[in-house]
Amino acid sequence: GIQVEQSPPDLILQEGANSTLRCNFSDSVNNLQWFHQNPWGQLINLFYIPSGTKQNGRLSATTVATERYSLLYISSSQTTDSGVYFCAVPRRAGTASKLTFGTGTRLQVTL
Amino acid sequence: ETGVTQTPRHLVMGMTNKKSLKCEQHLGHNAMYWYKQSAKKPLELMFVYSLEERVENNSVPSRFSPECPNSSHLFLHLHTLQPEDSALYLCASSQLPFLGQGNTGELFFGEGSRLTVL
């Protein structure tokens, strides 16, 4: 099956710093999702980004499908950005999609 | 609020108990999923239901029994679990990506049910 790798595995930032998280995948994909898992465990949708660049406030994401990677940018980080960031790519399961998740980047933002 | 609600949020059970996890989605989706997240492991897909029919069972032990009575509700029945089954169980839903235009198949997750098996 498809392999999804994320880097770095852990990241500590001071509040206000910028960061880039990377997601590499081993096969071609037709879409990709980024999630933020908060300390209570909930997975929050950040981006659905099969290709190109999207921005949402301080976050933006870029997927270069031909080169099999996606980047998540966090600017002016805040303590509320702490948690684990996952990328995930879909594979078909019958008529549904099943997501294969990367191993995640654990981000801690300190004061 | 993602439109996917899971109950209970926390559950502690003994190995001989029978319990159920419930998931309800208010998004009008027609596919539902159970994922398992154990400590220090990637999220693992357990089951996929598409139009209330199970289309994927990812080699899950029979002590986990899913049920999807309609497209809005999904259950995970638990019976004679082991301590290593302690984990966060996440439910998700999506609109089937291969039906109709504009359906991306994007998944939306509930808040999870944290299970501890003693």
Side-chain angles (χ1 to χ4, degrees):
Chain A
I2 191 170
Q3 304 298 314
V4 183
E5 295 181 353
Q6 291 184 243
S7 59
D10 296 279
L11 185 59
I12 300 175
L13 296 176
Q14 198 161 21
E15 195 173 44
N18 304 328
S19 62
T20 301
L21 283 57
R22 188 176 178 103
C23 172
N24 291 331
F25 38 94
S26 62
D27 202 353
S28 58
V29 299
N30 55 17
N31 74 57
L32 182 142
Q33 287 187 247
W34 280 99
F35 296 91
H36 174 216
Q37 187 169 37
N38 65 24
W40 297 272
Q42 183 167 16
L43 282 168
I44 299 165
N45 291 46
L46 296 178
F47 294 101
Y48 164 80
I49 183 164
S51 63
T53 297
K54 290 186 179 180
Q55 180 143 13
N56 184 2
R58 295 181 296 103
L59 304 181
S60 65
T62 295
T63 295
V64 184
T66 53
E67 297 186 23
R68 300 182 183 173
Y69 73 89
S70 183
L71 302 173
L72 177 69
Y73 305 95
I74 304 174
S75 64
S76 304
S77 58
Q78 300 177 359
T79 55
T80 51
D81 296 330
S82 297
V84 185
Y85 290 81
F86 291 100
C87 64
V89 298
R91 277 294 177 261
R92 191 165 182 164
T95 51
S97 280
K98 57 178 181 178
L99 287 179
T100 298
F101 282 80
T103 50
T105 293
R106 184 174 299 275
L107 173 65
Q108 183 180 352
V109 181
T110 62
L111 291 171
Chain B
E1 179 61 49
T2 63
V4 182
T5 303
Q6 290 186 239
T7 54
R9 295 290 311 281
H10 299 272
L11 178 62
V12 179
M13 59 187 290
M15 289 191 285
T16 58
N17 291 158
K18 287 185 183 180
K19 297 285 185 183
S20 296
L21 306 181
K22 178 183 176 182
C23 177
E24 183 174 0
Q25 59 95 2
H26 308 278
L27 300 170
H29 289 165
N30 44 27
M32 296 189 78
Y33 310 76
W34 280 115
Y35 277 83
K36 175 183 178 182
Q37 188 178 29
S38 304
K40 301 189 188 297
K41 284 188 177 180
L43 279 91
E44 304 169 63
L45 178 67
M46 299 176 74
F47 300 103
V48 180
Y49 276 83
S50 169
L51 297 172
E52 301 153 43
E53 178 183 348
R54 191 191 311 178
V55 297
E56 180 109 356
N57 175 347
N58 212 23
S59 302
V60 179
S62 59
R63 57 186 184 269
F64 294 92
S65 174
E67 179 189 2
C68 188
N70 55 62
S71 59
S72 298
H73 294 85
L74 183 66
F75 295 88
L76 188 63
H77 303 300
L78 315 170
H79 177 50
T80 59
L81 296 191
Q82 306 297 312
E84 59 264 28
D85 297 322
S86 299
L88 180 68
Y89 290 85
L90 290 156
C91 172
S93 71
S94 73
Q95 191 70 353
L96 293 175
F98 306 105
L99 299 179
Q101 291 187 337
N103 292 334
T104 64
E106 188 176 358
L107 267 69
F108 293 85
F109 283 83
E111 294 172 307
S113 293
R114 191 166 296 279
L115 173 67
T116 302
V117 182
L118 302 175

